């Protein structure tokens, strides 16, 4: 059987090679010469060494070309299903020949944002249902925050883009927008990406898409803005000022002297208050209700007598006191504690009070011995101090009284010697919140007690370490920490009656 046919077209010789197995002709290929003898030499080289193909001119055997022709013909003529097409695309991707194959139908065509919202739907997500069934902890609050991130960041950027059309480059570009245009901290960028990449990885594993675009995506290095801690002087001042909400005052004082979390404070009930310890067996979430603490294990913390008394007073104030085991930090509803906003707003108002109404200074001149001193300041329409108070000036005694300007706020103080310029708590540019007290406790106690003993109380550890430590917390450790805490926080505890 002949191995090829040679014919001329526009003066150029073309060869039609014959597949020796199927006896079918392949597509005619130009020899690029007008000389018949040269054309025969070229064809002989093809038959011996392979036929150059593609831009790289890599030689291919006659059998390889025949296989390719048959594959191409089958793709054009054989009736294929969507699954068949995806299987072909997946085979090509597995060989690194293409990056993505997109089907016009099937689950991958669902809009990315719709898929992400369904993925983080706590009640209906198959992903979450599977995680919970296998003992993993995913809370309603976490899912709620994930949905907020999807709506705030992912939806405006990706719009109606299909799930299976998302490329790795899309995710890279998105991450740069978050970092450079929106100015998010590295840790925040990684967190925003995580809410989508977790879902994309799951979609790939479940066969909804045939490529995981998040694979190999580089994370940003660096952390978020670090939470600041109040100084010892600032903390002492904070618990001397008058707080507007007793629950906020006692809650923040408890956080400061025990290091427990805001959700754990809200979850405290009457039966959790012992003589010298507080049982931290639950945490409260507005989305999940009562749940285990963050590390998954209950613990005991030393409870100072002064703080215990305040907790019992607050319990007596609870309008639902007749209910069984009521919440200490009560709300209008008997079956749920107060909102975390009570602590946040109470702390903010106390910080503001430390500046607007410094301790020891009064709007009317106080009676008593000693010189009368005055400070000046300007307040806005909301009663907030603008700038700082002036340096104290004497207005009674051997010095001449200063001229008082209209529109100024004046506060008075009596002392034999010139008092220090009043200074409140300045949190401008600082990240101060209720959780800062947890760090304050750990940092102050670290001067007195070994780090591992503090970790047993605060829960600053991994789940494995939690299980290890909880089995070895002794009454001796509780007693030791209680004594040390009484010493460390004595400067604050002397003012508890004033603050409450």
């Amino acid at each position: 059987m002949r191995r090829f046919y040679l014919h001329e077209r526009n003066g150029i010789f073309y060869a039609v090679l014959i597949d020796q197995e199927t006896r079918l002709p392949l597509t005619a290929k130009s020899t690029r010469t007008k000389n018949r003898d040269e054309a025969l030499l070229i064809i002989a080289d093809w038959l011996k060494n392979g036929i150059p193909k593609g831009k790289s001119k890599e030689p291919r055997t006659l059998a390889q070309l025949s296989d390719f022709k048959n594959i191409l013909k089958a793709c054009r003529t054989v009736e294929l299903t969507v699954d068949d097409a995806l299987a072909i695309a997946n085979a090509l991707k597995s060989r690194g020949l293409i990056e993505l194959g997109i089907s016009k139908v099937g689950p991958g065509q669902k809009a990315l944002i719709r898929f992400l919202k369904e993925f983080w739907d706590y009640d209906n997500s198959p992903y979450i249902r599977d995680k919970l069934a296998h003992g993993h902890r995913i809370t309603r609050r976490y899912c709620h925050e994930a949905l907020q991130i999807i709506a705030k960041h992912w939806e405006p950027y990706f719009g109606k883009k299909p799930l299976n059309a998302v490329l790795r480059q899309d995710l890279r570009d998105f991450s740069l927008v978050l970092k450079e245009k929106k100015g998010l901290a590295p840790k925040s960028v990684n967190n925003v990406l995580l809410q989508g990449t977790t879902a994309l990885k799951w979609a790939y594993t479940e066969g909804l898409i045939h490529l995981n675009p998040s694979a190999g995506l580089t994370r940003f290095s660096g952390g978020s803005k670090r939470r600041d801690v109040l100084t010892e002087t600032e903390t002492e001042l904070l618990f001397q000022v008058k707080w507007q909400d007793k629950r906020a005052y006692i809650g923040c004082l408890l956080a400061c002297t025990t290091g427990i979390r805001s959700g754990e404070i809200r979850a405290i009930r009457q039966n959790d208050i012992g003589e010298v310890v507080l049982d931290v067996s639950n945490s409260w979430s507005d989305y999940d209700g009562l749940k285990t603490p963050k590390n998954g294990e209950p613990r005991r913390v030393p409870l100072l007598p002064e703080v215990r008394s305040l907790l019992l007073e607050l319990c007596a104030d609870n309008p639902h006191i007749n209910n069984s085991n009521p919440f200490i930090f009560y709300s209008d509803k008997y079956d749920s504690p107060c909102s975390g906003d009570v602590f946040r707003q109470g702390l903010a108002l106390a910080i503001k009070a430390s500046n607007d109404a410094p301790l020891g200074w009064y709007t009317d001149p106080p009676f008593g011995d000693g010189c009368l001193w005055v400070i000046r300041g300007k307040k806005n329409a909301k009663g907030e101090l603008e700038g700082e108070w002036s340096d104290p000036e004497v207005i009674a005694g051997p010095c001449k009284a200063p001229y008082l300007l209209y529109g100024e706020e004046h506060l008075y103080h009596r002392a034999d010697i010139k008092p220090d310029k009043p200074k409140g708590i300045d949190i401008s540019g600082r990240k101060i919140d209720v959780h800062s007290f947890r760090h304050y406790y750990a940092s102050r106690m670290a001067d007195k007690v070994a780090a591992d003993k503090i970790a047993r109380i605060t829960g600053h550890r991994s789940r494995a370490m939690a299980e290890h430590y909880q089995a070895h917390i002794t009454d001796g450790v509780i007693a030791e920490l209680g004594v040390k805490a009484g010493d460390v926080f004595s400067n604050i505890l002397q003012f508890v009656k004033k603050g409450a």
Side-chain angles (χ1 to χ4, degrees), residues 56-110:
S56 64
K57 302 300 181 181
E58 182 180 352
R60 291 187 180 180
T61 66
L62 195 59
Q64 289 174 328
L65 289 176
S66 178
D67 289 341
F68 172 74
K69 182 178 180 180
N70 292 333
I71 292 171
L72 193 60
K73 180 180 179 181
C75 289
R76 290 171 175 170
T77 59
V78 175
E79 184 176 345
L80 299 173
T81 66
V82 172
D83 289 339
D84 295 334
L86 291 175
I88 294 171
N90 197 41
L92 295 174
K93 287 198 292 285
S94 67
R95 296 183 60 183
L97 299 175
I98 62 173
E99 184 176 2
L100 180 67
I102 301 177
S103 167
K104 292 185 177 181
V105 294
Q109 272 298 107
K110 179 182 292 186

Side-chain angles (χ1 to χ4, degrees), residues 4 6 31 35-45:
F4 66 90
L6 187 65
T31 63
N35 186 291
R36 180 181 178 85
D37 291 336
E38 289 181 2
L40 292 173
L41 291 174
I42 291 172
I43 295 171
D45 182 68

Side-chain angles (χ1 to χ4, degrees), residues 145-323:
E145 292 174 348
L147 289 172
Q148 287 182 316
I149 288 174
I150 298 303
K152 182 177 180 180
H153 298 290
W154 285 76
E155 190 166 7
Y157 186 85
F158 287 97
K160 298 181 179 179
K161 195 179 189 72
L163 172 62
N164 62 5
V166 179
L167 302 173
R168 186 182 294 110
Q169 189 60 46
D170 294 327
L171 298 179
R172 288 197 188 102
D173 294 341
F174 178 47
S175 68
L176 293 177
V177 168
L178 295 173
K179 180 67 171 62
E180 297 173 359
K181 292 188 177 181
K182 293 194 174 185
L184 299 185
K187 185 176 179 180
S188 297
V189 174
N190 291 334
N191 186 49
V192 170
L193 292 174
L194 181 65
Q195 311 313 318
T197 57
T198 298
L200 291 169
K201 180 180 178 181
W202 181 85
Y204 170 71
T205 303
E206 295 297 313
L208 303 182
I209 54 178
H210 290 264
L211 176 73
N212 177 14
S214 66
L217 193 66
T218 304
R219 291 172 57 85
F220 284 85
S221 62
S224 59
K225 183 178 179 180
R226 297 188 63 179
R227 181 175 278 105
D228 287 298
V229 181
L230 294 174
T231 66
E232 187 174 355
T233 301
E234 289 173 330
T235 305
E236 182 177 337
L237 173 60
L238 183 67
F239 287 108
Q240 290 183 56
V241 302
K242 184 67 177 179
W243 290 54
Q244 296 188 17
D245 193 304
K246 187 175 182 179
R247 294 169 299 176
Y249 171 79
I250 298 175
C252 289
L253 181 64
L254 183 61
C256 182
T257 57
T258 63
I260 65 177
R261 302 175 178 90
S262 176
E264 295 168 344
I265 294 173
R266 295 169 63 198
I268 295 172
R269 291 181 288 183
Q270 187 175 18
N271 293 348
D272 296 325
I273 303 175
E275 290 295 328
V276 294
V277 298
L278 182 68
D279 287 328
V280 184
S281 53
N282 292 291
S283 183
W284 180 270
S285 165
D286 292 331
Y287 300 97
D288 302 281
L290 279 177
K291 58 189 185 71
T292 58
K294 186 175 181 179
N295 60 32
E297 295 291 336
R299 64 189 189 279
R300 295 184 300 160
V301 301
L303 185 61
L304 299 177
E306 297 88 344
V307 182
R308 180 179 184 273
S309 297
L310 291 177
L311 290 175
L312 294 178
E313 287 181 18
L314 193 60
C315 182
D317 295 340
N318 191 332
H320 315 296
I321 186 63
N322 294 327
N323 288 279

